[in-house]
Amino acid sequence: MPGLVWFITGCATGFGEKLVHDVLGRGDKVIATARNASARLQTQKEAGAAILELDVTGTQKTLDDVVNQALKIYGKIDVLVNNAGYLEAGFLEEVGEERMRNVFSTNFFGAINLSRAVLPHFRERKTGTLIFMSSYTVWEGQPTPGAYVASKGALESAVLCLEKEVAPFGIKTCTVISGLFRTEIFGPRNMKYGAREIPAYAEGNKWSDSLVTQMYEHSPGDPAAGAARIVDAVKSEGTAKGKEVPSFLILGQEALDAIRARCKAMLKICDEGESVAQSTATGAIPADQAETKSE
């Protein structure tokens, strides 16, 4: 595959940082972005990446301007990786609307608005790949990361529609569903906590804090390996040799287990509720009444 130009958000740590180095190592070009980029992306710059300042919560005009600036660097963008995000922690009753809006502003609107800024360029060239980062927690639900899970769940749903909207223009989308990786998502920079004022949740918050510490220190996933699988999928190399870019890319055993469990549970619900679902059609006879009639 010819050399690609990657535009990647949230490149200071974690998947973003590893993606920059993996992409450069394969001979592609990278435009790495972050807030306070000049201070936080020096290693990436020294490795050969172009760096740009970007806050994904900026206005649409601001994001459009950054994309136009990026296009002047190499003349094109082939891949947009919407990686920037953070984890808002807390029981939903305690989180409140303002904190919920903040996490959506980064995790959902940031990714959608930046994609909107890049799409005219992709449509004009009739090619391009949009990558979105999601989480296995969307598929199983957990107490305390509800705001984060909601933002990622909304993103997954929006991308299902976006995929069908942009496919006629030769544009591909891929949602990466990640398990537990040793990144800074559980670190102090990316974990946000609000006021904890409801005594009923005190023990639950203690449990959550302990779990976060364990995940931060002992998550099984290697972010370098995860980043490599993402690049494989986009470039049809390595583990994805000869394959098309997938609509979903699952990384980590936790993600596999959560998705399989949810799918099995939903299939069971479908099987058990099939007659009820079908009984709502005009003129339909509920199964229990149909049995009575036949008698």
Side-chain angles (χ1 to χ4, degrees), residues 88-90 94-95 99 191-197 205:
E88 182 74 47
E94 290 186 310
V95 166
R99 289 169 61 197
M191 283 287 295
K192 306 295 182 184
Y193 298 91
R196 294 174 170 183
E197 300 172 342
N205 279 317

Side-chain angles (χ1 to χ4, degrees), residues 252-270:
Q253 188 64 48
E254 306 82 19
L256 275 176
D257 292 345
I259 293 168
R260 281 180 171 147
R262 176 72 178 275
C263 289
K264 288 179 181 178
M266 290 305 295
L267 284 172
K268 184 172 185 291
I269 289 170
C270 288

Side-chain angles (χ1 to χ4, degrees), residues 70-270:
L71 287 170
K72 293 176 182 177
I73 297 175
Y74 297 118
K76 67 171 184 172
I77 296 171
D78 295 294
V79 185
L80 169 63
V81 182
N82 290 290
N83 174 67
Y86 76 93
L87 204 164
E88 182 74 47
F91 285 87
L92 282 171
E93 189 178 354
E94 290 186 310
V95 166
E97 182 177 346
E98 182 178 0
R99 289 169 61 197
M100 190 74 122
R101 286 182 181 275
N102 287 342
V103 74
F104 266 76
S105 182
T106 296
N107 296 355
F108 176 77
F109 289 109
I112 295 298
N113 291 345
L114 188 58
S115 297
R116 186 181 291 115
V118 172
L119 277 169
H121 175 65
F122 282 2
R123 283 190 289 103
E124 181 181 357
R125 296 179 61 227
K126 292 184 169 50
T127 186
T129 303
L130 298 164
I131 306 294
F132 300 87
M133 302 299 291
S134 189
S135 167
Y136 78 104
T137 54
V138 169
W139 291 76
E140 68 175 17
Q142 292 179 0
T144 70
Y148 170 82
V149 171
S151 68
K152 292 299 187 179
L155 186 63
E156 284 196 21
S157 297
V159 175
L160 283 175
C161 299
L162 180 65
E163 178 183 30
K164 294 175 173 59
E165 294 170 356
V166 301
F169 306 103
I171 301 167
K172 301 171 184 176
T173 70
C174 176
T175 299
V176 179
I177 303 177
S178 169
L180 294 170
F181 283 78
R182 295 188 300 279
T183 70
E184 289 298 311
I185 189 67
F186 299 115
R189 183 183 290 272
N190 293 306
M191 283 287 295
K192 306 295 182 184
Y193 298 91
R196 294 174 170 183
E197 300 172 342
I198 302 177
Y201 295 126
E203 288 303 313
N205 279 317
K206 289 180 182 177
W207 167 83
S208 175
D209 291 348
S210 174
L211 183 61
V212 166
T213 300
Q214 292 177 38
M215 290 190 292
Y216 184 46
E217 297 174 351
H218 304 295
S219 289
D222 176 1
R229 300 295 84 77
I230 295 171
V231 181
D232 282 350
V234 172
K235 293 178 67 66
S236 298
E237 295 179 352
T239 55
K241 188 172 183 179
K243 299 178 181 178
E244 293 291 323
V245 176
S247 296
F248 290 91
L249 177 63
I250 303 169
L251 300 179
Q253 188 64 48
E254 306 82 19
L256 275 176
D257 292 345
I259 293 168
R260 281 180 171 147
R262 176 72 178 275
C263 289
K264 288 179 181 178
M266 290 305 295
L267 284 172
K268 184 172 185 291
I269 289 170
C270 288

